[in-house]
Amino acid sequence: MRRLSAASSRALRRALAAATGALLVGAAAVALLALLGSANAAANDADALTPSERSAILALGPWPPAPVRDGANPASGNPGGIALGESLFFGPRLSPTGLRCASCHEPWRHFADGRAVAQGVAAGSRNTPSLLDAARHRRFGWDGARDQLWQQSLRPLQDAREMPAAPAHVAALMRGDAALSARYAAIFGAPPGADDERVTRDVGLALAAYVETLATPRTPFDDWRDRLADGSEPPLSETFPAAARRGLRLFVGRAGCSGCHRGPTFSDDAFHVSRVQSLTSPGVPDHGHGDGPASVFRTPSLRDVATTAPYFHDGSAAHLCDAVRPHAADSSVPPAPPLEAAQRRDLVAFLRTLSSGASNDDATACD
Amino acid sequence: MTTLSGGLPAAVDPEYSQGVTEIEAQHFPQAIALLESYIARSPEHDRDADAHNWLGYAYRKSGNLDAAFLNYDKALAINPKHRGAHEYMGEAYLMTGNIAQAEEHLKALDKLCFTPCTEYSTLKRAVASWKSSHAETVGSK
């Protein structure tokens, strides 16, 4: 190896010394920041909840609410109607394609499908929402295009990309199967008649009666929140750790999440402009709700959210940590500040307490 | 293995074990009656993924795909890693001609089987056989 000249050697030593010094200063600064950060976090952890925080947190429960019943639907709450809806939901005959409702709303994937966008007979353009707690909404689907659950239940049959089935096919199934026909008659008062549209509507009513029964269970957050409602703040635990408490305070506080994700369902059931923009087909923007140019979608519930990745109407957020960036662009919602990685980790820790099952989200996504 | 409330394995429950015996003898109506009764007897039995999987199998072999799918879905909702239910669900989809969904369950088995497992290899053969026969049908037209 070529030897360095004396001058080069001195220059190298000076450069090394400067670099080492800089490294030491940098390391000290990082250590100081970490210390300050942990001190802030510790102070934040020790702070008592303010009255407004407490009030906002209590408004996120209690859970579960009373069961939903649709008085206009003879199948609703009727064991025979629910069972008929369940058979149709899981069976492969409703659509001539052989696709089932449960092909995309898979029970083992919390009634979603785990894909970015739905895959029926053709690829769709929106994420398949979970059906759990669907009956708690007043409008259905990402765009809220239907305001009756039975209408929404028929929508995949009417979409050429999902599980298309003409009313004539649905009605022929109900008329041609003796067991289905008898179960139909027991609920709707007569066997399926010649009016295909009428029979298909009743199939929607039976499907809705089944979907009404799909609900998320209580979660670690609900236990913590109910104990808070009973009196003093409950202790932290493995299921509701300090990070979740910090995330909850951000959620109802400066992150602004509860402006839209509010109430026991964590949804205001309203429409908001989303920063997330997507296409329904090549070159065609997805406007969602309404005819305006903006990207407008209904606020989704956050219950069970950690088990139903990916996120947003187009499934573009693979992980919760990607989804907890500011995403509302609505004039009715105060602009949310950007969040640091540690804050997003805390928000994710809180969101995980809204699920009772194992998360399918990657916990390292914030790192 | 699934256990009863008394700690005994589900396999020793008379209705359950007789139901499985009837399936092995291909007496599917008898198997369905026994397994439906076993599942209805307690909420714990209703959370028995194996029982739902066997029941789904008996329904499928009887030609009742509605009930077969329902029970496979129940088995997977209880245990998303139930290899038998993934295999049978894939085979049920093949019966409806839905190769894409059958392959989804084959993919799920591929992830679940770190070492070679019969559920994966059986479904893989069934998928290949379906494709082969489908291609022949298309080719003969």
Side-chain angles (χ1 to χ4, degrees):
Chain A
M1 179 185 287
R2 186 170 65 89
R3 291 189 61 190
L4 291 170
S5 68
S8 300
S9 182
R10 278 195 301 277
L12 183 60
R13 278 199 299 272
R14 278 199 301 275
L16 279 172
T20 306
L23 279 174
L24 286 172
V25 169
V30 167
L32 182 63
L33 283 174
L35 198 62
L36 287 171
S38 63
N40 282 340
N44 188 35
D45 289 348
D47 283 351
L49 297 174
T50 66
S52 63
E53 283 177 325
R54 187 185 176 90
S55 168
I57 292 166
L58 293 182
L60 299 171
W63 194 261
V68 172
R69 294 284 180 271
D70 178 358
N73 177 0
S76 177
N78 174 334
I82 294 167
L84 176 60
E86 184 182 59
S87 292
L88 295 168
F89 184 92
F90 287 98
R93 294 184 291 165
L94 204 50
S95 166
T97 64
L99 279 169
R100 312 176 300 130
C101 304
S103 296
C104 295
H105 297 288
E106 299 173 280
W108 59 289
R109 286 181 165 135
H110 297 250
F111 290 88
D113 61 6
R115 299 171 183 273
V117 294
Q119 177 66 52
V121 292
S125 57
R126 293 181 186 158
N127 180 254
T128 302
S130 168
L131 293 184
L132 295 171
D133 303 330
R136 302 282 162 201
H137 300 302
R138 295 186 301 273
R139 308 280 306 199
F140 302 95
W142 283 102
D143 57 7
R146 304 287 187 277
D147 61 3
Q148 299 287 326
L149 187 54
W150 71 265
Q151 293 173 329
Q152 180 67 19
S153 302
L154 294 175
R155 201 172 165 188
L157 302 177
Q158 297 156 345
D159 190 323
R161 295 177 300 180
E162 296 194 34
M163 45 184 292
H169 170 85
V170 175
L173 168 68
M174 301 306 291
R175 286 191 292 262
D177 184 296
L180 288 178
S181 179
R183 294 164 78 184
Y184 176 103
I187 302 151
F188 298 108
D195 183 344
D196 293 346
E197 299 284 347
R198 168 70 184 269
V199 174
T200 301
R201 188 204 65 172
D202 291 344
V203 163
L205 292 171
L207 287 169
Y210 170 65
V211 173
E212 280 173 2
T213 67
L214 304 176
T216 57
R218 279 178 63 81
T219 65
F221 165 72
D222 295 312
D223 293 340
W224 195 86
R225 178 255 170 222
D226 287 359
R227 290 181 68 187
L228 181 68
D230 286 342
S232 58
E233 183 177 330
L236 299 171
S237 64
E238 191 177 337
T239 55
F240 198 86
R245 183 180 184 272
R246 291 196 299 271
L248 172 57
R249 295 182 81 180
L250 282 167
F251 188 90
V252 299
R254 68 183 295 268
C257 311
S258 60
C260 302
H261 295 285
R262 64 173 178 246
T265 61
F266 288 78
S267 168
D268 60 1
D269 226 14
F271 298 96
H272 297 282
V273 180
S274 174
R275 293 187 191 184
V276 180
Q277 305 206 340
S278 60
L279 303 175
T280 53
S281 55
V284 181
D286 189 351
H287 298 311
H289 183 70
D291 300 324
S295 179
V296 179
F297 294 95
R298 185 176 58 77
T299 309
S301 169
L302 296 181
R303 288 196 170 269
D304 226 15
V305 69
T307 61
T308 53
Y311 306 105
F312 294 147
H313 67 272
D314 60 351
S316 58
H319 306 293
L320 271 179
C321 211
D322 303 321
V324 296
R325 299 173 191 278
H327 49 261
D330 200 308
S331 58
S332 68
V333 181
L339 299 169
E340 296 164 11
Q343 291 172 316
R344 288 189 289 126
R345 268 197 296 273
D346 288 343
L347 272 173
V348 170
F350 164 61
L351 293 175
R352 285 173 186 274
T353 71
L354 298 178
S355 300
S356 57
S359 169
N360 73 340
D361 183 47
D362 183 356
T364 64
C366 294
D367 298 333
Chain B
M1 177 181 286
T2 311
T3 57
L4 298 174
S5 54
L8 296 171
V12 306
D13 180 272
E15 275 189 317
Y16 182 98
S17 59
Q18 187 59 34
V20 175
T21 302
E22 297 291 358
I23 283 175
E24 286 164 350
Q26 301 195 28
H27 299 153
F28 299 119
Q30 294 90 329
I32 288 168
L34 287 160
L35 290 169
E36 286 281 17
S37 173
Y38 166 78
I39 287 170
R41 262 175 33 220
S42 83
E44 188 176 352
H45 294 182
D46 195 28
R47 291 192 294 272
D48 183 340
D50 291 339
H52 281 293
N53 189 42
W54 278 122
L55 183 56
Y57 182 87
Y59 273 123
R60 179 163 61 95
K61 291 297 182 181
S62 304
N64 185 343
L65 285 181
D66 290 359
F69 275 115
L70 172 60
N71 280 283
Y72 294 145
D73 273 314
K74 285 185 175 179
L76 288 174
I78 296 162
N79 177 11
K81 297 180 179 177
H82 198 292
R83 299 191 313 207
H86 278 292
E87 179 201 332
Y88 292 156
M89 180 83 99
E91 289 173 3
Y93 269 122
L94 289 179
M95 289 174 72
T96 69
N98 195 327
I99 185 70
Q101 291 286 332
E103 288 183 320
E104 283 294 311
H105 288 277
L106 188 62
K107 274 188 214 167
L109 280 172
D110 193 22
K111 285 184 185 170
L112 289 173
C113 298
F114 299 113
T115 54
C117 67
T118 54
E119 292 87 355
Y120 174 79
S121 52
T122 305
L123 182 56
K124 189 176 181 183
R125 275 198 304 275
V127 166
S129 170
W130 188 94
K131 284 181 172 175
S132 170
S133 62
H134 194 69
E136 281 170 15
T137 305
V138 172
S140 66
K141 284 182 180 174

